[in-house]
């Protein structure tokens, strides 16, 4: 008897972690694999968490999370032109739980879910665990949406849900004004729900922020996910959130309740302090990520890589096509021979092949050392 569910055995561990785990065999190698900022958690967040322990705020919170934090999220989003009330917001254990809660609320066996390729691997895996059917939509060379292909898929497949992910892991793309208008028109005209993962919203390097959740006219079909792992460099403290109108929220909260009851109280107080008083820290981290982005982009260009300038998040996704290897072989060889770990583009779906993901959530010293190692290793390749 096969004791494992078919859905679960059909998926694999994330390719990001798989590559990270290989590092134990190469103790001298440098890793640029993880989306884990290297900054310390801002001091005021730490202090608020310590205080919450001292004040014994350590019991269960309401299922949706502390009202103070939900109200601050509502204000934060309003500054981005996105309007959800505290009652339309549920605090989750990272964006990860929020994703699973939303998929579990919406996806029946066989329901079609449109997911970009390349994309953050959790989308596809969550849908598969739930027995949904994944349909990929492809992106243009600059990682913007290929609207011709998307329109055809919408007409032919009539999917229930589309996932949008901006600023994007792994490509660093953001939603442009023009694409947000095109998307709005397309989604308005189709009977489809939208899951917009905006976990990197605070790391948009352009002045204006565009999101499909800004359009009031289709707000009732958009569900938004956000979180503080990246914004406050607090990945291990596990706070995210989901926003949706009450029709969806009443159902999402059931999944959340039976799954986790509530997010950790102490971390909720930390995130609250973050939104109240750590925006300067966020801006500082963003400015550092932009310096690193420029450095990595320029270095890759001078090494001959074809690469788009990332406009958000902290990843860069150069093409490795000209090296005549698939992305997995490229990364294996670079790790073994060059001592640098990066993630094969194939870990993000078929659309990621011929690319690699480099995370620049690492210090400038580590980035400089890695890039010089990559340069040396490239010289050893006969191309
Ligand atoms: C696009 C995207 N969504 C969601 C998450 C989940 O993050 P967390 O659960 O730490 O909030 C990540 C983490 O890397 C991500 O890159």
């Amino acid at each position: 008897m096969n004791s494992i569910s078919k859905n679960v055995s059909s998926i694999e561990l994330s390719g990001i972690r798989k590559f990270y785990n290989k590092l134990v065999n190469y103790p001298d190698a440098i890793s640029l694999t993880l989306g884990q900022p290297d900054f310390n958690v801002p001091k005021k967040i730490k202090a608020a968490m310590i205080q919450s322990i001292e004040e014994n705020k350590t019991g269960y919170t309401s299922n949706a999370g502390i009202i103070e934090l939900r109200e601050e999220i509502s204000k934060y989003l309003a500054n981005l032109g996105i309007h959800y009330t505290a009652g339309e917001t549920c605090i989750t254990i990272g964006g990860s739980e929020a994703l699973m809660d939303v998929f579990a609320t919406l996806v029946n066996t066989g329901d079609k879910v449109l997911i970009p390729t390349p994309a953050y691997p959790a989308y596809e895996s969550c849908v598969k665990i739930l027995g949904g059917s994944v349909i990929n939509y492809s992106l243009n060379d600059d990682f913007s949406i290929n609207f011709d292909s998307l329109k055809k898929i919408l007409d032919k497949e009539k999917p229930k849900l589309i996932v949008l992910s901006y600023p994007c892991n792994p490509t660093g793309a953001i939603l442009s004004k023009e694409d947000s208008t095109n998307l709005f028109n397309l989604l308005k005209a189709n009977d489809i729900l939208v899951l917009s993962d905006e976990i990197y919203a605070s790391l948009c390097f352009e002045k204006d922020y565009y999101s499909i959740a800004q359009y009031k006219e289709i707000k009732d079909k958009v569900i938004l996910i956000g979180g503080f792992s990246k914004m406050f460099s607090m990945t291990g403290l596990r706070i995210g959130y989901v926003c949706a109108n009450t029709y969806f929220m009443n159902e999402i909260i059931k999944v959340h309740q039976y799954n986790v009851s509530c997010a950790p109280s102490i971390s909720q107080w930390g995130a609250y302090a973050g939104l109240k008083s750590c925006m300067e820290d966020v801006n500082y981290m963003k400015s550092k990520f932009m310096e690193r982005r420029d450095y990595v982009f320029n270095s890759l260009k001078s090494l001959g890589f074809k690469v788009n300038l990332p406009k958000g998040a902290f990843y860069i996704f150069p093409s490795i096509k000209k090296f005549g290897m698939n992305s997995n072989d490229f990364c294996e060889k670079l790790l073994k021979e060059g001592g640098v770990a990066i993630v094969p583009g194939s870990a993000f779906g078929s659309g990621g092949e011929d690319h690699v993901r480099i995370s620049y959530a690492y210090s400038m010293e580590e980035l400089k050392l890695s890039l010089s190692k990559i340069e040396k290793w490239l010289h050893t390749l006969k191309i």
Side-chain angles (χ1 to χ4, degrees), residues 94-96 99 120 123 165 169 197 199-200 229-230 235 238 315:
S96 305
L99 284 173
Y120 180 57
Y123 309 137
S165 185
N169 171 11
D197 178 354
I199 203 118
Y200 294 97
S229 285
K230 321 288 173 170
T235 53
R238 310 304 302 125
Y315 309 101

Side-chain angles (χ1 to χ4, degrees), residues 16 34-36 92-99 119-123 164-170 197-200 225-230 234-241 313-315 348 357:
I16 308 170
L34 294 184
Q36 155 78 60
T92 55
I93 301 192
S96 305
E97 189 223 323
L99 284 173
Y120 180 57
Y123 309 137
L164 301 174
S165 185
Y166 295 105
C168 178
N169 171 11
D197 178 354
E198 302 189 27
I199 203 118
Y200 294 97
I225 277 174
F228 302 112
S229 285
K230 321 288 173 170
M234 52 184 269
T235 53
L237 297 173
R238 310 304 302 125
I239 296 292
Y241 55 90
F314 36 57
Y315 309 101
F348 304 92
R357 189 193 77 170

Side-chain angles (χ1 to χ4, degrees), residues 212-258:
I212 200 66
Q214 290 163 337
Y215 291 90
K216 290 206 178 89
E217 220 181 303
I218 56 165
K219 200 192 133 192
D220 279 357
K221 37 192 201 175
V222 177
I223 298 175
L224 175 109
I225 277 174
F228 302 112
S229 285
K230 321 288 173 170
M231 182 172 177
F232 295 135
S233 188
M234 52 184 269
T235 53
L237 297 173
R238 310 304 302 125
I239 296 292
Y241 55 90
V242 50
C243 299
N245 69 12
T246 26
Y247 171 73
F248 289 121
M249 188 49 78
N250 289 342
E251 308 301 317
I252 292 169
I253 203 104
K254 292 186 208 162
V255 182
H256 169 72
Q257 181 186 64
Y258 289 117

Side-chain angles (χ1 to χ4, degrees), residues 120-383:
Y120 180 57
Y123 309 137
E124 186 150 339
S125 297
C126 288
V127 172
K128 286 184 174 165
I129 289 173
L130 295 159
S133 163
V134 172
I135 301 172
N136 284 134
Y137 64 97
S138 55
L139 306 177
N140 296 316
D141 280 352
D142 63 355
F143 307 126
S144 60
I145 293 174
N146 181 333
F147 278 96
D148 287 340
S149 132
L150 181 59
K151 271 184 204 139
K152 280 186 198 133
I153 298 176
L154 287 175
D155 289 345
K156 185 166 165 239
E157 303 284 355
K158 306 256 178 276
K160 176 171 189 175
L161 175 67
I162 180 169
V163 176
L164 301 174
S165 185
Y166 295 105
C168 178
N169 171 11
T171 67
I174 57 169
L175 189 63
S176 67
K177 185 178 185 183
E178 193 190 347
D179 278 4
S180 80
T181 314
N182 289 338
L183 256 179
F184 164 68
N185 289 326
L186 192 62
L187 298 174
K188 190 172 68 163
N190 281 272
D191 183 19
I192 186 164
L193 300 172
V194 184
L195 170 55
S196 187
D197 178 354
E198 302 189 27
I199 203 118
Y200 294 97
S202 64
L203 289 171
C204 172
F205 305 148
E206 301 285 289
K207 197 165 79 37
D208 296 317
Y209 184 74
Y210 296 102
S211 155
I212 200 66
Q214 290 163 337
Y215 291 90
K216 290 206 178 89
E217 220 181 303
I218 56 165
K219 200 192 133 192
D220 279 357
K221 37 192 201 175
V222 177
I223 298 175
L224 175 109
I225 277 174
F228 302 112
S229 285
K230 321 288 173 170
M231 182 172 177
F232 295 135
S233 188
M234 52 184 269
T235 53
L237 297 173
R238 310 304 302 125
I239 296 292
Y241 55 90
V242 50
C243 299
N245 69 12
T246 26
Y247 171 73
F248 289 121
M249 188 49 78
N250 289 342
E251 308 301 317
I252 292 169
I253 203 104
K254 292 186 208 162
V255 182
H256 169 72
Q257 181 186 64
Y258 289 117
N259 198 12
V260 301
S261 288
C262 66
S265 58
I266 298 160
S267 304
Q268 291 191 54
W269 287 109
Y272 170 63
L275 283 176
K276 285 286 271 188
S277 37
C278 298
M279 290 319 281
E280 261 180 39
D281 301 79
V282 173
N283 288 334
Y284 172 77
M285 290 189 267
K286 181 159 121 177
S287 70
K288 290 290 156 194
F289 286 130
M290 287 174 79
E291 279 172 23
R292 296 169 187 188
R293 184 260 326 242
D294 290 344
Y295 170 72
V296 176
F297 173 75
N298 290 327
S299 305
L300 290 172
K301 274 230 142 315
S302 67
L303 292 178
F305 284 90
K306 187 170 166 268
V307 58
N308 292 316
L309 179 72
K311 297 196 174 149
F314 36 57
Y315 309 101
I316 190 162
F317 205 58
S319 165
I320 46 114
K321 199 166 182 179
K322 71 181 221 188
F323 299 101
M325 284 175 253
N326 69 32
S327 60
N328 199 61
D329 291 351
F330 184 94
C331 292
E332 289 266 2
K333 224 166 138 61
L334 174 59
L335 177 58
K336 273 189 204 144
E337 299 169 5
V340 180
I342 54 176
V343 183
S346 55
F348 304 92
S350 56
E353 191 44 277
D354 295 332
H355 293 78
V356 290
R357 189 193 77 170
I358 297 175
S359 164
Y360 52 88
Y362 290 84
S363 71
M364 205 58 159
E365 291 66 40
E366 285 166 296
L367 293 173
K368 283 186 174 160
L369 186 58
S370 310
L371 261 307
S372 78
K373 279 173 169 262
I374 292 175
E375 180 172 13
K376 264 195 211 135
W377 175 71
L378 287 177
H379 287 310
T380 67
L381 298 179
K382 291 179 194 73
I383 51 152

